[in-house]
Amino acid sequence: MPTADPLAADLAGVVGQQHLLVDPDLLAAYETDWTRRFSGRARLVVRPGSTAEVAEVVRRCARAGATVVPQGGNTGLVGGGVPRGGEVVLSLARIDGLDEVDGVSGQVTVGAGATLAAVQAHVRAAGWTVGIDLAARDTATVGGMVATNAGGLQVMRFGTMRARLAGLEAVLADGSVVSRLGGLDKDTTGYDLVGLLCGSEGTLGIVTRVRLRLAPLVPAGVTVLLGLESTEAAVGTLAELRRRGAPLVSAEWFQASAVALVRGHTGLPAPPCGTHPDHLLLDAADRHDPVEAMAAALDGLDGGDTAAVADDRAGREALWAYRERITESIGAAGIPHKLDVALRPDRFAAAVAALPAVVADAAPAARLVLFGHLGDGTVHVNVLGLAPDDTAVDEAVLRCVVAHDGTIGAEHGIGVAKAPWLHLYRSDEELRAMAAIKAALDPAGMLNPGVLLPAVRRPPPAPPR
Ligand SMILES: Cc1cc2nc3c(=O)[nH]c(=O)nc-3n(C[C@H](O)[C@H](O)[C@H](O)COP(=O)(O)OP(=O)(O)OC[C@H]3O[C@@H](n4cnc5c(N)ncnc54)[C@H](O)[C@@H]3O)c2cc1C
């Protein structure tokens, strides 16, 4: 489609006309985030196919004074990957190459636009796992997962994305490329740029390639679904399972309200462990069949007598459906406010118990759905029935979490959704340090303005003579 925007013509010269989108119908898919709560108009969408093209696009955007929103799979839940109004959306989707697995180091280098599912299948074929899994796996990209320091279902065994990172390559706001893909386990040569870019939500640089640490695939697994009478019981059961050395990979928690929502949306039958106020879904994996180890670990614990157990693929998927289909069921019920937070085990149950009253006080008609990764303390607080821009509940929930010594951001990032409340959890000194880092790496404020930190636009630095 012809356009009067000179930047579009300029960028088409870099990526090719077919990878430069200006048609409103084509832009639409890039303009609204997964929750449908956040959306804005893009100036254009550009889809570079290599690191060199990303660098050239960034240089030309900088020259034109344009702001840039990096986007991967657009499965983010905090409005950080969609335009707020008039930004260039830079999609990494075409940079999705998968290098051969390095079986000596147990690492692999992949393009930032590769989906998690593609990388999982690629390394599984070579006998490895990436140690990261989440329900958006078919669409979420590795670059987006680095940018948000994604967590997911296996953090309790393998850590978050930062722990899985052996290196990365990124384009900075001046178009320069930093490449730390050597894969060395030890490196004390100054500032950790890889760690800094991880979790920076596209505000410091655009990740183009990622080197991941892999873990050997273990062949045997078992899934257990427990029904529990309280959140305290769920926390206590998990703590005791850990103390007994259960070979856990995942420990997911959800309440009866989530089960009701999933059943209503999907038509699933009641869970085979029965419906209880709280549920704990456990995945265990080991070199040897973990069924007996799990049975021994569960012996005499709360929920152990109602446990539903499956060690075949279909049976395990059937149990996981109660957890994996929660997010889509919430989305089908309305546009949620999603507040992803984390708590210590000793504060988890008290915070969860406080939330219904906190939400009811701020919005009496709202519907609260709670679930999360108990293995790492994450609670996904979902509130339905609010206008997208009504943030009274958001603030009340985040204040409640901080009052219980928790963090307001566990894994989806801060985005624009939680940026106004970052000060609740990070001190003035920390916020000043973050702003200084942003100003040093992106002096003009062109990368993802308004995400994580307040937008600050300055004139671009003069080019070198
Ligand atoms: C059903 C469902 C389940 C989910 N479960 C989890 C979960 O368990 N754990 C979890 O952590 N998240 C979860 N998420 C959230 C989401 O999948 C993650 O945040 C994921 O990391 C986003 O990846 P993406 O490629 O879709 O990024 P996008 O949504 O496109 O972008 C997310 C952020 O990263 C930035 N970004 C994207 N790519 C790059 C890049 N290459 N360089 C620099 N910045 C970039 C964007 O600007 C934006 O700020 C879930 C989402 C859904 C829809």
Side-chain angles (χ1 to χ4, degrees):
M1 185 193 218
T3 167
D5 186 345
L7 182 61
D10 196 22
L11 298 184
V14 179
V15 299
Q17 191 65 54
Q18 70 275 34
H19 300 302
L20 194 287
L21 313 180
V22 291
D23 181 337
D25 288 346
L26 297 177
L27 297 189
Y30 299 83
E31 292 179 324
T32 299
D33 87 337
W34 199 89
T35 64
R36 292 168 285 142
R37 182 179 170 199
F38 301 100
S39 64
R41 300 302 298 273
R43 177 167 175 180
L44 54 85
V45 174
V46 59
R47 295 162 44 94
S50 66
T51 302
E53 285 186 7
V54 173
E56 191 53 32
V57 165
V58 167
R59 277 192 286 271
R60 292 183 189 212
C61 286
R63 263 203 312 266
T67 47
V68 173
V69 176
Q71 191 179 96
N74 197 12
T75 66
L77 303 171
V78 289
V82 288
R84 273 66 70 189
E87 294 92 344
V88 167
V89 172
L90 191 156
S91 165
L92 279 299
R94 289 179 61 224
I95 305 180
D96 61 353
L98 306 172
D99 287 6
E100 199 177 321
V101 172
D102 175 351
V104 179
S105 63
Q107 297 180 0
V108 68
T109 300
V110 302
T115 64
L116 174 60
V119 178
Q120 285 174 331
H122 178 64
V123 306
R124 196 182 302 119
W128 298 89
T129 171
V130 278
I132 289 266
D133 195 20
L134 42 82
R137 60 183 76 78
D138 291 328
T139 317
T141 65
V142 171
M145 293 176 61
V146 170
T148 57
N149 187 18
L153 305 167
Q154 302 184 345
V155 170
M156 66 185 296
R157 182 175 287 190
F158 297 108
T160 64
M161 197 65 181
R162 185 172 279 126
R164 310 312 306 156
L165 263 185
L168 58 71
E169 175 186 84
V171 173
L172 303 184
D174 63 358
S176 59
V177 177
V178 289
S179 190
R180 307 290 311 157
L181 291 169
L184 290 170
D185 279 329
K186 280 186 166 173
D187 176 15
T188 54
T189 55
Y191 300 141
D192 177 9
L193 296 178
V194 173
L196 178 64
L197 283 160
C198 182
S200 65
E201 300 186 51
T203 61
L204 299 180
I206 299 173
V207 179
T208 49
R209 292 207 296 158
V210 177
R211 188 156 178 93
L212 293 167
R213 292 181 204 289
L214 306 175
L217 256 190
V218 290
V222 62
T223 301
V224 180
L225 181 60
L226 303 178
L228 295 145
E229 296 318 305
S230 67
T231 309
E232 285 90 342
V235 173
T237 293
L238 178 58
E240 186 57 19
L241 284 169
R242 283 178 138 151
R243 205 185 63 76
R244 294 181 182 184
L248 292 172
V249 180
S250 304
E252 297 294 304
W253 162 84
F254 46 90
Q255 293 195 310
S257 56
V259 175
L261 199 67
V262 168
R263 291 189 61 201
H265 173 61
T266 63
L268 284 177
C273 62
T275 301
H276 299 260
D278 288 61
H279 294 83
L280 198 49
L281 182 74
L282 305 166
D283 235 23
D286 217 337
R287 291 227 156 268
H288 308 290
D289 188 352
V291 173
E292 274 184 30
M294 280 302 287
L298 281 163
D299 188 35
L301 294 189
D302 274 346
D305 50 343
T306 62
V309 181
D311 62 356
D312 62 302
R313 187 174 171 162
R316 296 178 73 190
E317 283 176 3
L319 294 181
W320 267 96
Y322 292 99
R323 165 62 182 84
E324 288 241 294
R325 301 197 68 179
I326 296 174
T327 303
E328 91 184 53
S329 304
I330 290 170
I335 297 180
H337 285 226
K338 287 186 163 292
L339 300 159
D340 157 75
V341 302
L343 292 140
R344 290 199 317 256
D346 60 330
R347 304 289 274 149
F348 192 94
V352 163
L355 285 172
V358 166
V359 171
D361 270 359
R367 181 173 179 189
L368 176 66
V369 184
L370 298 173
F371 66 102
H373 315 299
L374 185 57
D376 59 40
T378 301
V379 184
H380 297 314
V381 180
N382 288 265
V383 188
L384 285 159
L386 303 173
D389 57 354
D390 173 0
T391 56
V393 166
D394 302 43
E395 174 161 355
V397 166
L398 298 179
R399 284 190 183 278
C400 170
V401 168
V402 171
H404 286 84
D405 304 321
T407 170
I408 66 164
E411 52 182 21
H412 302 153
I414 295 299
V416 294
K418 287 190 256 179
W421 298 288
L422 190 55
H423 67 91
L424 293 178
Y425 191 66
R426 303 303 295 257
S427 66
D428 289 349
E429 291 78 3
E430 288 173 320
L431 291 174
R432 275 201 298 277
M434 286 193 217
I437 291 168
K438 169 74 174 167
L441 288 183
D442 181 13
M446 78 176 281
L447 292 180
N448 237 356
V451 166
L452 186 59
L453 298 171
V456 179
R457 289 290 286 150
R458 299 185 195 86
R465 287 168 180 270

